[in-house]
Amino acid sequence: MADQADNRAPYAQIAAHYAALITSGDLQPGSLLPSIKTLSQEWSVSTATAEKALRKLRNEGLVRGIHGIGTEVLDRPAPMSSGAQRQDRGLVTGSSWGTGERSDSHQASVVPAPTDVAEALDIKPGSNVIRRSRVYRDRHGIVAHSTSWIPAQYGELIPQLTRSERLTGGTSLQLIAQATGRPIRHRFDTASARLLTREDTELLELDPAKTPKKPVVVMTAKFVDSEGAVVEYGVDLGGPDRTWQTESELSQ
């Protein structure tokens, strides 16, 4: 059952397969996943690999193990991704979307750079920048409102960056690297939390009269090319009840 074109480890392929079924709603909350033995047989992997796949799903908060019964699908919003994680995902899978995600409301315009954006991009406040925004959603609602700020000169090289439509031919970073011949070498990430402002409420399509009182996650990512130029600054505003998590493989 594993996709031969997928270069992820077998356990990750299995986990991704069931994560997609869960987040799309094909596997409803309360459903039971196949047993370790069944997964091992269906995917032609060892029981250790099958167990590792289920453990990954548990760690992602998508399922829980019930002693004597099996692995049950939970119903809760999936974690949000940072811009850096989307970049990594795109390199591995060819798509920046998380499992069960889609994006819409793609908007682009050339605007004066706000002070914080100008500082991040190392340009003068008020200089022209491209502002690209989109909304990531899954079946639970908005995962994050994402904004990319790009120096205006890249719009002259790549006109589609200034159009209000989904990019074709690659991500903004890939398109910029192709056009300039300078690969992206560094990225700087931050994670914080804040209470929603009135503008945040509008971006997340919430009822102002029912604005959540809990903080939301805010992620930023700054991308620098091989010559030290900052080519993009991204800000992701997480939806209510969204968390952020990372996973790393540690060598023994």
Side-chain angles (χ1 to χ4, degrees):
M1 294 177 65
D3 182 353
Q4 297 302 313
D6 193 332
N7 60 5
R8 290 173 292 184
Y11 83 90
Q13 295 182 38
I14 298 170
H17 172 78
Y18 284 100
L21 293 177
I22 292 168
T23 56
S24 67
D26 290 336
L27 273 177
Q28 292 293 312
S31 300
L32 295 178
L33 268 61
S35 67
I36 290 175
K37 181 179 180 180
T38 300
L39 285 176
S40 174
Q41 294 172 344
E42 291 182 350
W43 289 79
S44 300
V45 297
S46 68
T47 55
T49 295
E51 198 284 328
K52 189 174 182 180
L54 293 180
R55 184 164 63 248
K56 178 173 172 59
L57 292 170
R58 291 196 299 271
N59 291 340
E60 292 176 354
L62 295 174
V63 301
R64 65 171 179 169
I66 305 176
H67 182 69
I69 296 178
T71 302
E72 181 187 46
V73 175
L74 296 175
D75 187 22
R76 63 181 62 174
M80 64 177 286
S81 300
S82 67
Q85 287 171 313
R86 291 197 191 100
Q87 181 197 28
D88 289 343
R89 186 185 296 136
L91 293 174
V92 173
T93 68
S95 172
S96 63
W97 294 341
T99 302
E101 280 186 358
R102 67 186 190 281
S103 61
D104 58 36
S105 305
H106 291 254
Q107 299 291 325
S109 58
V110 177
V111 299
T115 301
D116 60 325
V117 172
E119 181 179 354
L121 292 176
D122 195 23
I123 60 177
K124 293 181 179 179
S127 300
N128 281 346
V129 292
I130 302 167
R131 181 185 187 274
R132 294 190 57 82
S133 63
R134 79 290 294 167
V135 175
Y136 289 91
R137 307 176 193 268
D138 63 13
R139 68 188 182 89
H140 289 279
I142 290 182
V143 178
H145 181 280
S146 180
T147 304
S148 299
W149 301 90
I150 303 169
Q153 67 263 27
Y154 296 112
E156 299 173 5
L157 289 173
I158 313 159
Q160 70 163 316
L161 289 178
T162 63
R163 300 173 190 150
S164 295
E165 58 190 27
R166 184 178 293 122
L167 296 176
T168 59
T171 65
S172 54
L173 291 170
Q174 290 170 330
L175 294 173
I176 291 171
Q178 291 167 8
T180 62
R182 301 194 300 266
I184 309 303
R185 292 298 191 201
H186 302 282
R187 73 184 186 213
F188 301 87
D189 304 304
T190 71
S192 60
R194 73 169 183 238
L195 293 174
L196 291 172
T197 65
R198 180 180 295 274
E199 181 183 5
D200 294 337
T201 300
E202 295 175 358
L203 294 177
L204 295 176
E205 302 173 9
L206 298 172
D207 182 349
K210 300 178 181 179
T211 301
K213 302 301 181 182
K214 295 188 296 183
V216 295
V217 178
V218 181
M219 307 289 301
T220 73
K222 182 167 67 172
F223 299 90
V224 181
D225 70 15
S226 58
E227 293 191 4
V230 182
V231 300
E232 184 171 318
Y233 174 62
V235 180
D236 290 282
L237 176 68
D241 297 320
R242 300 287 175 166
T243 58
W244 173 66
Q245 69 179 34
T246 62
E247 177 182 349
S248 301
E249 293 283 348
L250 301 179
S251 59
Q252 297 296 325

